[in-house]
mmCIF file of all heavy atoms in Angstrom:
data_model
loop_
_atom_site.group_PDB
_atom_site.id
_atom_site.type_symbol
_atom_site.label_atom_id
_atom_site.label_comp_id
_atom_site.label_asym_id
_atom_site.label_seq_id
_atom_site.Cartn_x
_atom_site.Cartn_y
_atom_site.Cartn_z
ATOM 1 N N GLN A 48 5.883 24.323 10.043
ATOM 2 C CA GLN A 48 4.843 24.091 9.054
ATOM 3 C C GLN A 48 5.393 23.473 7.776
ATOM 4 O O GLN A 48 4.655 22.808 7.036
ATOM 5 C CB GLN A 48 4.148 25.421 8.707
ATOM 6 C CG GLN A 48 3.367 26.015 9.867
ATOM 7 C CD GLN A 48 2.645 27.285 9.464
ATOM 8 O OE1 GLN A 48 2.774 27.727 8.316
ATOM 9 N NE2 GLN A 48 1.916 27.869 10.381
ATOM 10 N N THR A 49 6.679 23.671 7.517
ATOM 11 C CA THR A 49 7.268 23.081 6.301
ATOM 12 C C THR A 49 7.380 21.563 6.403
ATOM 13 O O THR A 49 7.501 20.891 5.394
ATOM 14 C CB THR A 49 8.639 23.686 6.037
ATOM 15 O OG1 THR A 49 9.470 23.483 7.204
ATOM 16 C CG2 THR A 49 8.535 25.176 5.761
ATOM 17 N N PHE A 50 7.378 21.030 7.642
ATOM 18 C CA PHE A 50 7.478 19.587 7.828
ATOM 19 C C PHE A 50 6.109 18.903 7.805
ATOM 20 O O PHE A 50 6.045 17.682 7.764
ATOM 21 C CB PHE A 50 8.164 19.271 9.151
ATOM 22 C CG PHE A 50 9.614 19.664 9.179
ATOM 23 C CD1 PHE A 50 10.012 20.852 9.773
ATOM 24 C CD2 PHE A 50 10.584 18.868 8.582
ATOM 25 C CE1 PHE A 50 11.338 21.212 9.789
ATOM 26 C CE2 PHE A 50 11.896 19.229 8.596
ATOM 27 C CZ PHE A 50 12.295 20.412 9.189
ATOM 28 N N THR A 51 5.055 19.647 7.850
ATOM 29 C CA THR A 51 3.711 19.067 7.842
ATOM 30 C C THR A 51 3.102 19.178 6.444
ATOM 31 O O THR A 51 3.490 20.031 5.652
ATOM 32 C CB THR A 51 2.809 19.763 8.861
ATOM 33 O OG1 THR A 51 2.766 21.168 8.556
ATOM 34 C CG2 THR A 51 3.359 19.569 10.269
ATOM 35 N N SER A 52 2.123 18.347 6.178
ATOM 36 C CA SER A 52 1.475 18.330 4.867
ATOM 37 C C SER A 52 0.473 19.464 4.786
ATOM 38 O O SER A 52 -0.275 19.731 5.744
ATOM 39 C CB SER A 52 0.799 16.982 4.621
ATOM 40 O OG SER A 52 0.114 17.002 3.395
ATOM 41 N N SER A 53 0.426 20.117 3.613
ATOM 42 C CA SER A 53 -0.536 21.188 3.381
ATOM 43 C C SER A 53 -1.863 20.661 2.830
ATOM 44 O O SER A 53 -2.776 21.436 2.584
ATOM 45 C CB SER A 53 0.042 22.212 2.389
ATOM 46 O OG SER A 53 0.365 21.576 1.166
ATOM 47 N N ILE A 54 -1.980 19.325 2.649
ATOM 48 C CA ILE A 54 -3.200 18.718 2.126
ATOM 49 C C ILE A 54 -4.173 18.495 3.281
ATOM 50 O O ILE A 54 -3.767 18.014 4.348
ATOM 51 C CB ILE A 54 -2.872 17.397 1.404
ATOM 52 C CG1 ILE A 54 -1.820 17.629 0.313
ATOM 53 C CG2 ILE A 54 -4.123 16.759 0.808
ATOM 54 C CD1 ILE A 54 -1.351 16.370 -0.336
ATOM 55 N N PRO A 55 -5.434 18.818 3.129
ATOM 56 C CA PRO A 55 -6.408 18.558 4.215
ATOM 57 C C PRO A 55 -6.487 17.078 4.529
ATOM 58 O O PRO A 55 -6.246 16.215 3.670
ATOM 59 C CB PRO A 55 -7.729 19.087 3.628
ATOM 60 C CG PRO A 55 -7.321 20.030 2.544
ATOM 61 C CD PRO A 55 -6.052 19.498 2.002
ATOM 62 N N PRO A 56 -6.800 16.742 5.777
ATOM 63 C CA PRO A 56 -6.852 15.301 6.140
ATOM 64 C C PRO A 56 -7.879 14.514 5.357
ATOM 65 O O PRO A 56 -7.684 13.336 5.079
ATOM 66 C CB PRO A 56 -7.196 15.361 7.647
ATOM 67 C CG PRO A 56 -6.795 16.718 8.087
ATOM 68 C CD PRO A 56 -7.015 17.624 6.923
ATOM 69 N N ASP A 57 -9.013 15.154 4.964
ATOM 70 C CA ASP A 57 -10.029 14.407 4.229
ATOM 71 C C ASP A 57 -9.634 14.126 2.780
ATOM 72 O O ASP A 57 -10.219 13.258 2.124
ATOM 73 C CB ASP A 57 -11.354 15.177 4.252
ATOM 74 C CG ASP A 57 -11.198 16.606 3.705
ATOM 75 O OD1 ASP A 57 -10.055 17.100 3.680
ATOM 76 O OD2 ASP A 57 -12.225 17.212 3.320
ATOM 77 N N LYS A 58 -8.615 14.822 2.257
ATOM 78 C CA LYS A 58 -8.164 14.617 0.895
ATOM 79 C C LYS A 58 -6.721 14.087 0.834
ATOM 80 O O LYS A 58 -6.049 14.228 -0.162
ATOM 81 C CB LYS A 58 -8.256 15.907 0.095
ATOM 82 C CG LYS A 58 -9.670 16.463 -0.047
ATOM 83 C CD LYS A 58 -9.679 17.720 -0.896
ATOM 84 C CE LYS A 58 -11.093 18.249 -1.063
ATOM 85 N NZ LYS A 58 -11.131 19.487 -1.883
ATOM 86 N N LEU A 59 -6.305 13.514 1.947
ATOM 87 C CA LEU A 59 -4.897 13.084 2.015
ATOM 88 C C LEU A 59 -4.631 11.879 1.138
ATOM 89 O O LEU A 59 -3.552 11.740 0.569
ATOM 90 C CB LEU A 59 -4.541 12.744 3.479
ATOM 91 C CG LEU A 59 -3.071 12.496 3.789
ATOM 92 C CD1 LEU A 59 -2.235 13.711 3.459
ATOM 93 C CD2 LEU A 59 -2.879 12.114 5.240
ATOM 94 N N TYR A 60 -5.612 10.991 0.971
ATOM 95 C CA TYR A 60 -5.412 9.760 0.198
ATOM 96 C C TYR A 60 -6.211 9.771 -1.099
ATOM 97 O O TYR A 60 -6.573 8.723 -1.615
ATOM 98 C CB TYR A 60 -5.821 8.550 1.064
ATOM 99 C CG TYR A 60 -5.050 8.450 2.343
ATOM 100 C CD1 TYR A 60 -5.617 8.847 3.549
ATOM 101 C CD2 TYR A 60 -3.734 7.982 2.348
ATOM 102 C CE1 TYR A 60 -4.904 8.749 4.745
ATOM 103 C CE2 TYR A 60 -3.008 7.880 3.519
ATOM 104 C CZ TYR A 60 -3.599 8.281 4.730
ATOM 105 O OH TYR A 60 -2.898 8.195 5.886
ATOM 106 N N ASP A 61 -6.533 10.946 -1.609
ATOM 107 C CA ASP A 61 -7.283 11.034 -2.857
ATOM 108 C C ASP A 61 -6.406 11.267 -4.071
ATOM 109 O O ASP A 61 -6.899 11.564 -5.149
ATOM 110 C CB ASP A 61 -8.316 12.181 -2.772
ATOM 111 C CG ASP A 61 -9.411 11.859 -1.777
ATOM 112 O OD1 ASP A 61 -9.500 10.696 -1.371
ATOM 113 O OD2 ASP A 61 -10.166 12.776 -1.408
ATOM 114 N N HIS A 62 -5.106 11.157 -3.950
ATOM 115 C CA HIS A 62 -4.211 11.420 -5.070
ATOM 116 C C HIS A 62 -2.994 10.521 -4.933
ATOM 117 O O HIS A 62 -2.772 9.899 -3.888
ATOM 118 C CB HIS A 62 -3.800 12.895 -5.094
ATOM 119 C CG HIS A 62 -2.958 13.290 -3.923
ATOM 120 N ND1 HIS A 62 -3.487 13.470 -2.675
ATOM 121 C CD2 HIS A 62 -1.620 13.512 -3.797
ATOM 122 C CE1 HIS A 62 -2.517 13.809 -1.812
ATOM 123 N NE2 HIS A 62 -1.381 13.812 -2.487
ATOM 124 N N ILE A 63 -2.224 10.455 -5.996
ATOM 125 C CA ILE A 63 -1.000 9.678 -6.049
ATOM 126 C C ILE A 63 0.171 10.639 -6.231
ATOM 127 O O ILE A 63 0.136 11.502 -7.106
ATOM 128 C CB ILE A 63 -1.043 8.649 -7.198
ATOM 129 C CG1 ILE A 63 -2.208 7.683 -6.994
ATOM 130 C CG2 ILE A 63 0.281 7.898 -7.296
ATOM 131 C CD1 ILE A 63 -2.364 6.681 -8.120
ATOM 132 N N VAL A 64 1.179 10.482 -5.400
ATOM 133 C CA VAL A 64 2.361 11.336 -5.473
ATOM 134 C C VAL A 64 3.379 10.669 -6.372
ATOM 135 O O VAL A 64 3.793 9.536 -6.114
ATOM 136 C CB VAL A 64 2.938 11.596 -4.064
ATOM 137 C CG1 VAL A 64 4.193 12.447 -4.171
ATOM 138 C CG2 VAL A 64 1.906 12.268 -3.181
ATOM 139 N N PHE A 65 3.785 11.363 -7.422
ATOM 140 C CA PHE A 65 4.816 10.857 -8.323
ATOM 141 C C PHE A 65 6.114 11.575 -7.977
ATOM 142 O O PHE A 65 6.279 12.750 -8.254
ATOM 143 C CB PHE A 65 4.422 11.113 -9.790
ATOM 144 C CG PHE A 65 5.489 10.687 -10.764
ATOM 145 C CD1 PHE A 65 5.781 9.345 -10.958
ATOM 146 C CD2 PHE A 65 6.211 11.628 -11.471
ATOM 147 C CE1 PHE A 65 6.764 8.943 -11.844
ATOM 148 C CE2 PHE A 65 7.200 11.233 -12.356
ATOM 149 C CZ PHE A 65 7.472 9.898 -12.531
#
Side-chain angles (χ1 to χ4, degrees):
Q48 295 182 358
T49 57
F50 292 100
T51 58
S52 177
S53 59
I54 305 174
D57 56 340
K58 297 182 179 180
L59 189 60
Y60 302 102
D61 292 347
H62 66 285
I63 299 177
V64 178
F65 177 70

